[in-house]
């Protein structure tokens, strides 16, 4: 779920004895993207029913994705993906220390991804990172099914903050007319979108720009050209003896607050 504008990005891992690879193939495990919803649900039930496959998932919420992508020390989607995948591998190895080979569907450079995994888990005997690994390796296909089913169920069962919000959200992808129509109907001019929306995505930004109320940020500094007014200051500059350059009005205001400590 890297591309959708709605809902979480879900990463998953599955692990089992290497000797069970053929059993996974016989089960019909495949890349979740080529399976219909009913097929994914059926295969997920099969995965749950056998005792030799274990799985974990990490659902990164739309709010967390957008907040981390928009903060000053921005974290890219690839960085979030790396951290999630490595965290899942480490969690799997804590559950079963015999996990020694890892197969991963790549995000970005396969070489960089593999190097990051080896650095985090140097005890692994084998690290395979490839494009379309979910179609090549049944265990990766199993993980992709888990991730997709968890994401689908999250969208279906989403608890909206506002009562009466339409649940007809479509696939969650920005190219889906049902999804974009739902977004237009549910954008608030002042507060933006419900928390299911990845507000850092370009389609969401564009819709907010077109439909949201304009915001003017008030500046209470006496000197609009001062470092404080432009946000180029250190907090220590507001205290005596620090060679502050903020305006007198700004200085006295913050010293008043400091005296409350």
């Amino acid at each position: 779920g890297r591309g959708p504008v709605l809902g979480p990005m879900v990463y998953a891992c599955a692990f089992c004895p290497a000797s069970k690879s053929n059993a996974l193939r016989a089960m019909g495990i495949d890349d979740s993207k080529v399976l219909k919803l009913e097929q994914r649900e059926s295969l997920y039930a099969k995965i749950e029913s056998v005792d030799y496959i274990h799985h974990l998932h990490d659902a990164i919420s739309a709010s967390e994705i957008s907040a981390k992508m928009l903060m000053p020390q921005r974290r890219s989607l690839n960085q979030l993906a790396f951290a999630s995948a490595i965290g899942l591998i480490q969690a799997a190895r804590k559950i079963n220390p015999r996990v020694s080979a890892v197969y991963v569907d790549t995000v970005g450079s396969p070489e960089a991804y593999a190097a990051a995994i080896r650095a985090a888990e140097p005890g692994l005997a084998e690290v395979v990172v490839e494009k379309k690994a979910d179609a090549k390796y049944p265990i990766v296909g199993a993980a992709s099914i888990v991730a997709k089913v968890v994401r689908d169920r999250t969208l279906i069962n989403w608890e909206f903050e506002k009562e009466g919000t339409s649940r007809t959200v479509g696939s969650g992808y920005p190219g889906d007319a049902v999804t974009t129509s739902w977004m237009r109907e549910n954008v608030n001019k002042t507060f933006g979108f419900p928390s299911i929306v990845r507000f850092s995505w370009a389609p969401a930004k564009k819709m907010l720009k077109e439909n949201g109320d304009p915001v003017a940020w008030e500046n209470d500094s006496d000197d609009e050209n001062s470092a404080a007014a432009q946000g180029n200051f250190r907090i220590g500059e507001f205290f005596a003896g620090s060679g502050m350059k903020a305006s007198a009005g700004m200085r006295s205001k913050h010293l008043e607050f400091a005296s409350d400590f």
Side-chain angles (χ1 to χ4, degrees):
R2 286 170 58 85
V5 68
L6 301 185
M9 179 171 69
V10 182
Y11 275 83
C13 75
F15 49 105
C16 73
S19 61
K20 294 294 183 181
S21 182
N22 288 336
L24 293 182
R25 290 188 189 280
M27 194 186 289
I29 297 294
D30 202 347
D31 174 3
S32 64
K33 293 188 290 296
V34 303
L35 301 170
K36 295 179 180 178
L37 187 147
E38 296 79 10
Q39 292 174 304
R40 293 194 297 267
E41 285 286 350
S42 175
L43 287 167
Y44 182 83
K46 289 180 181 179
I47 291 168
E48 289 277 85
S49 70
V50 296
D51 61 5
Y52 57 83
I53 307 176
H54 302 275
H55 60 83
L56 302 167
H57 73 268
D58 178 23
I60 308 171
S61 72
S63 298
E64 182 180 354
I65 292 168
S66 292
K68 287 184 175 177
M69 291 185 72
L70 293 175
M71 66 184 190
Q73 283 76 39
R74 179 181 181 274
R75 297 194 70 190
S76 70
L77 205 60
N78 280 3
Q79 288 173 317
L80 294 176
F82 284 174
S84 179
I86 290 170
L88 287 168
I89 291 168
Q90 292 173 330
R93 296 195 78 206
K94 281 183 181 178
I95 293 170
N96 188 342
R98 295 177 66 189
V99 172
S100 60
V102 173
Y103 300 85
V104 183
D105 189 37
T106 192
V107 170
S109 163
E111 294 77 20
Y113 208 158
I117 292 171
R118 289 193 187 94
E121 286 292 303
L124 288 169
E126 185 178 15
V127 176
V128 177
V129 182
E130 295 181 8
K131 293 180 180 179
K132 301 188 183 299
D134 40 8
K136 295 178 183 177
Y137 305 102
I139 194 64
V140 185
S144 76
I145 289 168
V146 170
K148 183 63 174 166
V149 168
V150 169
R151 179 181 150 74
D152 287 345
R153 291 180 179 182
T154 300
L155 284 181
I156 291 168
N157 299 310
W158 190 267
E159 293 185 11
F160 289 100
E161 296 89 341
K162 184 181 176 182
E163 240 179 276
T165 300
S166 168
R167 307 194 68 82
T168 308
V169 299
S171 65
Y173 282 82
D176 184 337
V178 177
T179 296
T180 53
S181 175
W182 180 90
M183 289 174 66
R184 287 193 191 92
E185 291 170 5
N186 290 280
V187 61
N188 183 288
K189 288 183 176 294
T190 304
F191 299 107
F193 294 104
S195 59
I196 195 173
V197 178
R198 300 181 188 180
F199 55 84
S200 60
W201 258 231
K205 286 181 178 179
K206 183 174 184 290
M207 213 170 284
L208 277 175
K209 188 175 181 180
E210 293 171 350
N211 300 285
D213 289 329
V215 177
W217 297 100
E218 187 174 314
N219 187 339
D220 62 356
S221 172
D222 295 333
D223 180 4
E224 292 185 357
N225 295 316
S226 71
Q230 297 174 35
N232 301 320
F233 59 87
R234 295 174 183 271
I235 191 66
E237 292 174 356
F238 289 119
F239 297 95
S242 63
M244 356 178 228
K245 296 180 182 179
S247 67
M250 184 72 81
R251 179 199 297 189
S252 61
K253 180 177 179 180
H254 284 269
L255 286 177
E256 181 183 347
F257 293 158
S259 68
D260 293 336
F261 292 154

